[in-house]
C-alpha cells in the first residue's frame, strides 16, 4: 500500500461520526447562501472551518448547525455526508444524531427529522452501497435534564435503525453519573451504549463512564494510556474504543500521529476501531486516517482487516446487517 487510492479501496466501518460535524463546509456555505444566513467568521480564507481550540471548535460547530433547520436540510446533509464516506471506502457508518439539533428534543419533530434522514440513508445505500445507522446522542454541556428529553426521543424511536444512545460535548461539564438515569432508561429500552470519555478528561472519566453509565464502547478513551491498570481492564472486559487519531492530533491532544497512543493500546490488547469524528473540521477522511496510521506505525492490510472486524463485532446494528457486511469484508479478504 503506498498511494491514497490503496487506502480508499480498503473496506471500512466507522463507528464514531457526528452527523453535523461531518458536514462538508461547501455544503454548509451553499445552504447558508440559499437561506441568506450570515455565518460570520467560521471559515478560513481557504474555505475550511476555522477555530482556535476544542472549546472554540464546539462554538463553530454549533454555528454551522444554525443553517440546518428542517428535515429536508438533514436529508441533504445525510446525502452529502454519505457521499464523502463512501468515497473513502466506508461500507458502514454509525452517525451521532442529536434531537437537540433535530427538532429541539420534541418527539414529534424528531420523528420527522428521522424519517427524512432515513429516506436519504436508504437511497445512499441503494446508490452507493453504504449502510448507515443512527446513535442518538445527548450533549453533555446542555445538562442532565435536557439529556433526559433526548433519551426519551431515543427510546421512543429505538428499532433496527436507531440502535444506540451516547453522550458527546464538553467532557468537563457535569459528571457521568448525572446522566445515569438517561443511560439506564435507554438500556432498558434495548439501545446499546457509548460515551465520549478519556479525550479531554483523564483515565478517571473513562472509569466513570464504565461504572456509572455501563457502556460497552468508549468514544476516544485514548487517555486510558495514562493508567495501565485501566488499559488492562479495558482489554479484559472487551471494551471497544472508538479512536479518532486525526481529531486528537488536530485538536492538540497529541502533537502528531507517531505520538498517539493507539499503537500502544493495540499492543496491550485493547479492542480498537478507527473513526474520523468530525472529518472536515480536522481535514480528515477515513482513507487519510488509514494512510497516517500506515505511515506512523506500519499498519498493513492485515491490521486494517482486524480493525474492520472489531468494528463489525462492536457495531450496534442487528445480526442480519452484520452478516451482509461480513460478506463484503470476506470478498475483500
Ligand atoms: Zn466525538
Amino acid at each position: 500500500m503506498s498511494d491514497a487510492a490503496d487506502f480508499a479501496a480498503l473496506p471500512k466501518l466507522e463507528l464514531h461520526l457526528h452527523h453535523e460535524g461531518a458536514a462538508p463546509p461547501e455544503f454548509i456555505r451553499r445552504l447558508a447562501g440559499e437561506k441568506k444566513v450570515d455565518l460570520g467568521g467560521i471559515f478560513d480564507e481557504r474555505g475550511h472551518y476555522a477555530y482556535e481550540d476544542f472549546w472554540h471548535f464546539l462554538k463553530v460547530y454549533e454555528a454551522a448547525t444554525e443553517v440546518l433547520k428542517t428535515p429536508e436540510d438533514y436529508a441533504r446533509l445525510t446525502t452529502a455526508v454519505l457521499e464523502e464516506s463512501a468515497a473513502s471506502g466506508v461500507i458502514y457508518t454509525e452517525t451521532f444524531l442529536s434531537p437537540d439539533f433535530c427538532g429541539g428534543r420534541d418527539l414529534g419533530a424528531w420523528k420527522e427529522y428521522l424519517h427524512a434522514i432515513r429516506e436519504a440513508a436508504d437511497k445512499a445505500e441503494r446508490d452507493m452501497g453504504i449502510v448507515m445507522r443512527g446513535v442518538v446522542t445527548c450533549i453533555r454541556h446542555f445538562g442532565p435534564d435536557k439529556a433526559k428529553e433526548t433519551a426519551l426521543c431515543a427510546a421512543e424511536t429505538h428499532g433496527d435503525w436507531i440502535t444506540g444512545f451516547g453522550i458527546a460535548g464538553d467532557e468537563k461539564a457535569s459528571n457521568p453519573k448525572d446522566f445515569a438515569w438517561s443511560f439506564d432508561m435507554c438500556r432498558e429500552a434495548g439501545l446499546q451504549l457509548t460515551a465520549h470519555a478519556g479525550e479531554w478528561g483523564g483515565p478517571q472519566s473513562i472509569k466513570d463512564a464504565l461504572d456509572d453509565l455501563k457502556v460497552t464502547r468508549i468514544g476516544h478513551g485514548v487517555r486510558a494510556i495514562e493508567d495501565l491498570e485501566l488499559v488492562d481492564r479495558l482489554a479484559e472486559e472487551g471494551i471497544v474504543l472508538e479512536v479518532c487519531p486525526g481529531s486528537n492530533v488536530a485538536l492538540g491532544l497529541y502533537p502528531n500521529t507517531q505520538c498517539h497512543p493507539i499503537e500502544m493500546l493495540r499492543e496491550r490488547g485493547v479492542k480498537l476501531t478507527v473513526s474520523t469524528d468530525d472529518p472536515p473540521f480536522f481535514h480528515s477522511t477515513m482513507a487519510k486516517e488509514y494512510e497516517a496510521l500506515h505511515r506512523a506505525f506500519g499498519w498493513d492490510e492485515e491490521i486494517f482487516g482486524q480493525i474492520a472486524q472489531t468494528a463489525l463485532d462492536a457495531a450496534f446494528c442487528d445480526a442480519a446487517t452484520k452478516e451482509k457486511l461480513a460478506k463484503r469484508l470476506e470478498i475483500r479478504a
Side-chain angles (χ1 to χ4, degrees):
M1 291 189 297
S2 56
D3 62 30
D6 294 336
F7 296 101
L10 293 174
K12 305 169 187 73
L13 292 90
E14 179 163 39
L15 303 184
H16 190 117
L17 184 71
H18 298 267
H19 207 48
E20 300 84 4
E26 54 276 19
F27 168 77
I28 293 294
R29 268 196 300 278
R30 194 182 327 128
L31 211 53
E34 285 173 21
K35 297 179 179 218
K36 308 209 183 333
V37 173
D38 179 7
L39 288 173
I42 72 164
F43 301 109
D44 64 18
E45 67 281 357
R46 286 172 303 163
H48 298 142
Y49 293 113
Y51 56 88
E52 309 281 329
D53 56 22
F54 178 66
W55 289 271
H56 187 215
F57 154 74
L58 289 178
K59 291 222 153 40
V60 170
Y61 183 108
E62 279 164 30
T65 64
E66 280 298 301
V67 296
L68 297 161
K69 289 286 189 205
T70 67
E72 170 60 20
D73 295 338
Y74 267 81
R76 289 171 64 187
L77 170 67
T78 301
T79 305
V81 168
L82 293 178
E83 277 171 359
E84 293 283 327
S85 294
S88 217
V90 177
I91 60 170
Y92 175 78
T93 187
E94 278 177 16
T95 86
F96 298 136
L97 300 168
S98 299
D100 302 80
F101 302 130
C102 300
R105 295 179 299 278
D106 173 81
L107 180 60
W110 162 240
K111 284 182 175 170
E112 284 177 31
Y113 276 80
L114 195 53
H115 180 75
I117 293 168
R118 278 194 70 163
E119 268 192 350
D122 289 347
K123 185 172 186 311
E125 185 173 342
R126 289 194 300 275
D127 295 348
M128 299 180 274
I130 183 167
V131 178
M132 173 183 170
R133 294 291 180 269
V135 174
V136 172
T137 303
C138 64
I139 310 295
R140 187 173 302 199
H141 54 272
F142 292 174
D145 289 337
K146 290 186 171 133
K148 286 181 186 175
E149 296 173 26
T150 302
L152 285 166
C153 287
E156 286 290 333
T157 50
H158 163 240
D160 62 351
W161 204 84
I162 289 293
T163 56
F165 180 70
I167 184 166
D170 186 353
E171 271 180 38
K172 290 184 175 163
S174 306
N175 291 314
K177 68 170 175 302
D178 298 334
F179 299 89
W181 185 93
S182 294
F183 277 74
D184 289 344
M185 200 267 291
C186 284
R187 187 183 312 102
E188 281 164 28
L191 289 149
Q192 301 189 72
L193 305 175
T194 179
H196 279 62
E199 180 191 18
W200 301 105
Q204 188 60 45
S205 70
I206 301 170
K207 293 179 199 169
D208 291 345
L210 294 174
D211 296 336
D212 296 332
L213 306 180
K214 299 177 180 63
V215 295
T216 57
R217 292 190 346 212
I218 297 279
H220 298 288
V222 289
R223 290 189 59 194
I225 202 67
E226 296 163 28
D227 176 348
L228 292 179
E229 263 180 48
L230 174 61
V231 173
D232 292 341
R233 176 184 173 188
L234 296 176
E236 275 158 31
E237 295 182 10
I239 302 296
V240 175
L241 302 188
E242 305 153 6
V243 184
C244 309
S247 162
N248 297 154
V249 171
L251 290 172
L253 207 53
Y254 303 104
N256 53 50
T257 312
Q258 285 93 326
C259 295
H260 193 282
I262 189 168
E263 176 67 347
M264 280 191 280
L265 291 163
R266 192 182 75 85
E267 283 174 350
R268 221 172 156 98
V270 178
K271 289 188 174 175
L272 299 172
T273 61
V274 172
S275 296
T276 56
D277 210 6
D278 309 280
F281 283 89
F282 310 135
H283 310 302
S284 182
T285 64
M286 280 293 276
K288 283 186 188 169
E289 297 286 340
Y290 273 38
E291 190 170 356
L293 290 164
H294 172 72
R295 293 199 195 293
F297 306 117
W299 284 19
D300 55 15
E301 241 183 285
E302 191 186 337
I303 293 178
F304 289 125
Q306 291 162 4
I307 295 283
Q309 186 60 49
T310 301
L312 180 62
D313 294 340
F316 289 162
C317 61
D318 59 25
T321 308
K322 286 192 184 191
E323 215 171 289
K324 276 192 218 160
L325 293 165
K327 287 210 176 78
R328 291 174 68 184
L329 292 183
E330 273 165 31
I331 291 166
R332 173 73 193 187

